[in-house]
Amino acid sequence: MEFRCTSTPASSWSGDTLAVGLYSGSTGPLKAVLEERFGAALLERLEQRQFKGKAGETLRFDWLGATPSVLLVVGLGEPAEFGLAGARKAAASIAKAAQGQGCTSLGIALPVEGLEPQAAAAAIAQAVRLSLFNDQRFKSDAEPKPLPAAVELLGFPQAGAELLSGLDGLCSGVELARELVAAPPNKVTPQALADCAAAIATEFGLELKLLGRSDCAALGMGAYLGVAQGSDLPPQFIHLTYRPQGAVRRRVALVGKGLTFDSGGYNLKTAGSQIEMMKYDMGGSAAVLGAARAIGQLQPEGVEVHVIVPACENMISGGAIHPGDILTASNGKTIEVNNTDAEGRLVLADALVYACGLEPDAVVDLATLTGACVIALGDEIAGLWSPSDALAGALAAAASQGGEQVWRMPLQASYREGLKSGVADMKNTGPRPGGSITGALFLKEFVSPGLAWAHLDIAGTVWSDKGRGLDPAGATGFGVRTLVNWVLAGAPA
Ligand code: BES
Ligand code: MN
Ligand code: ZN
């Protein structure tokens, strides 16, 4: 798929599939275009077919041998509510309606006059590309659905190529994250994550440091290694570095939970606890590796980016940690493991200490950390915790720019009580109520005081059972767009 912005309007565009957006009641600036090009009969036909212009509604008209041979009319909802999110939603509906219909060139006309051109072009093009992503790697009878060779965004100012300069880099990062998350735990192992990081390093010139078990032991990473010790697969602690050309104005660390499978350990996950889905427990690592790939391709100026993944499995064996074990993390803090299924915070503890050791200006971690966050926010919204209003605001802005949803949650200091241990500095698990908050408070113990840090709990958003908007059913690649947009904005905090 080649994407292009063009000043050609819908009234004169020639290609095979033309998509045109109308507001509720079939109104809006493109109504006249439809009338001019297809005649008043078309508008009557819209009414006959009870087209209401509701957001996401599509109607299709076919002509044999004409240009265009297909017209897709897409509903946009109320004009007052139409913005970037509406453009994204409409573009995804258009793409899905056009797909598999032999469409070779797709022209998209939406009322973007009131929107910032760059943001609108990015939103529309990302939605088309990402909603058509179709992963059939594990099907022996894979039948790839043909994609339009060319997608043109109509009615944009000239100099259109620049408007879409970041598209391929960003989308490739999201797609990589989706592929990593969707692949099963016998394929995406800690070694496979390390290999993926190595491939990114080679292709885009990033630096790679891999720490094995003994390297991590030398650094005192007892919490991370405790989780890893029950698995036959060795842990891989991954550290990728992107160094920009020219001056470094900001240095940031992106940390991703990399549990390639989470059985729960001796606090074994039972039926109904989604144990068979715990391949996605490396969704945080997929997001930061996807971001690394995008950043490597896009080569943003001024920001040095460290991507850190503590990768391992949480398994059961004679060598696995026992519930009740006391582990010592690399900052010297001791942890009573009262629940082996709260393993994400243990691996992140050592990864956060390591990240803070790089003396960055900001640290952002992403993790499928708690079922409690899924209960609180569902599968469309990630939880965001940060002591820094500036960093929380910057990440929320980057998320919204990319069409990802986050909601700020409190670092309620009094709930730290829930992590008190009689025998160690803390337990790894607090009471069930507020479980996503105590998870975040646990992580905070491993972040240097005063450092701008944010934690995103993506347990709900990493996967979409039915698919939504521009996410097909399955792995969403959540977090890549937020992280990349934030870094491209200069990583403000
Ligand atoms: N990986 C899970 C969290 C999870 C649950 C992600 C469901 C996606 C869907 C995490 O390691 C976990 O098991 N958390 C426990 C924490 C509890 C023991 C404090 C949980 O949420 O039940
Ligand atoms: Mn767990
Ligand atoms: Zn987990």
Side-chain angles (χ1 to χ4, degrees):
M1 273 189 295
E2 279 296 332
F3 286 84
R4 236 185 335 264
C5 287
T6 165
S7 55
T8 305
S11 50
S12 59
W13 182 77
S14 58
D16 70 64
T17 302
L18 174 65
V20 174
L22 293 179
Y23 293 127
S24 286
S26 297
T27 57
L30 293 157
K31 180 181 178 185
V33 173
L34 284 180
E35 196 164 14
E36 179 193 330
R37 190 153 189 187
F38 303 101
L42 178 82
L43 296 174
E44 279 165 33
R45 193 52 69 87
L46 284 178
E47 213 163 295
Q48 272 173 6
R49 292 209 204 159
Q50 310 209 336
F51 181 80
K52 300 277 188 267
K54 280 186 297 202
E57 190 181 356
T58 55
L59 252 195
R60 178 189 171 91
F61 297 90
D62 274 86
W63 294 276
L64 291 175
T67 298
S69 60
V70 176
L71 170 69
L72 291 171
V73 183
V74 60
L76 306 173
E78 295 302 323
E81 283 155 33
F82 184 78
L84 286 181
R88 217 174 261 121
K89 184 170 177 175
S93 309
I94 289 167
K96 282 180 261 185
Q99 189 187 28
Q101 307 280 341
C103 164
T104 57
S105 61
L106 174 62
I108 299 180
L110 295 172
V112 291
E113 292 76 14
L115 306 174
E116 202 273 302
Q118 174 119 33
I124 295 167
Q126 286 169 19
V128 171
R129 168 141 167 198
L130 293 174
S131 63
L132 295 183
F133 174 76
N134 178 14
D135 178 3
Q136 303 197 28
R137 288 170 298 161
F138 304 107
K139 294 212 187 249
S140 60
D141 59 351
E143 260 187 51
K145 291 191 190 162
L147 298 171
V151 178
E152 296 197 278
L153 314 192
L154 310 182
F156 274 85
Q158 289 290 2
E162 276 157 48
L163 292 180
L164 295 174
S165 57
L167 179 70
D168 184 63
L170 182 79
C171 293
S172 299
V174 175
E175 289 162 356
L176 172 62
R178 287 176 177 177
E179 287 182 347
L180 287 170
V181 169
N186 60 332
K187 303 285 184 207
V188 170
T189 57
Q191 183 62 52
L193 288 179
D195 293 345
C196 173
I200 295 169
T202 308
E203 186 170 359
F204 301 106
L206 276 64
E207 270 171 48
L208 175 64
K209 192 164 160 188
L210 287 175
L211 308 185
R213 200 191 303 268
S214 57
D215 305 308
C216 295
L219 292 173
M221 295 186 175
Y224 169 51
L225 292 179
V227 174
Q229 78 190 34
S231 171
D232 288 342
L233 305 180
Q236 298 284 346
F237 190 97
I238 300 163
H239 175 189
L240 265 175
T241 307
Y242 165 74
R243 293 185 201 281
Q245 302 267 312
V248 173
R249 286 186 294 274
R250 303 273 297 160
R251 180 189 301 144
V252 302
L254 311 177
V255 181
K257 173 176 171 181
L259 264 291
T260 61
F261 186 70
D262 176 15
S263 73
Y266 276 98
N267 291 96
L268 183 61
K269 288 187 183 291
T270 49
S273 65
Q274 302 239 289
I275 187 170
E276 74 285 2
M277 291 308 298
M278 283 303 145
K279 64 176 184 184
Y280 66 44
D281 214 16
M282 36 57 70
S285 71
V288 300
L289 288 170
R293 196 209 176 284
I295 290 162
Q297 183 172 338
L298 297 173
Q299 300 277 318
E301 285 176 6
V303 187
E304 180 178 300
V305 183
H306 296 265
V307 164
I308 294 156
V309 174
C312 66
E313 291 189 314
N314 185 22
M315 299 294 278
I316 286 176
S317 75
I321 44 172
H322 320 85
D325 277 0
I326 295 174
L327 304 174
T328 305
S330 43
N331 64 349
K333 292 198 182 179
T334 59
I335 305 159
E336 179 190 2
V337 181
N338 61 331
N339 191 321
T340 61
D341 198 10
E343 84 299 335
R345 59 198 74 183
L346 295 173
V347 307
L348 286 173
D350 283 324
L352 286 167
V353 171
Y354 181 93
C356 292
L358 302 168
E359 301 189 339
D361 298 301
V363 176
V364 180
D365 78 72
L366 285 87
T368 48
L369 202 70
T370 66
C373 188
V374 190
I375 300 300
L377 298 174
D379 68 0
E380 296 186 12
I381 308 167
L384 164 63
W385 285 259
S386 181
S388 159
D389 292 346
L391 179 57
L395 287 170
S400 132
Q401 187 195 341
E404 296 188 316
Q405 285 182 266
V406 301
W407 190 257
R408 188 153 178 208
M409 301 277 278
L411 280 164
Q412 182 72 15
S414 54
Y415 292 3
R416 171 68 179 72
E417 284 284 307
L419 294 171
K420 274 206 168 145
S421 164
V423 289
D425 296 341
M426 68 191 106
K427 302 188 291 193
N428 71 331
T429 307
R432 251 163 73 87
S436 65
I437 299 175
T438 38
L441 289 169
F442 181 94
L443 297 180
K444 188 169 178 280
E445 298 285 325
F446 301 90
V447 176
S448 303
L451 199 140
W453 158 72
H455 159 61
L456 281 160
D457 193 332
I458 61 168
T461 54
V462 69
W463 192 265
S464 173
D465 283 332
K466 295 198 192 82
R468 66 176 106 87
L470 49 68
D471 293 323
T476 59
F478 188 95
V480 175
R481 286 174 282 157
T482 298
L483 292 175
V484 175
N485 287 337
W486 178 62
V487 169
L488 291 180

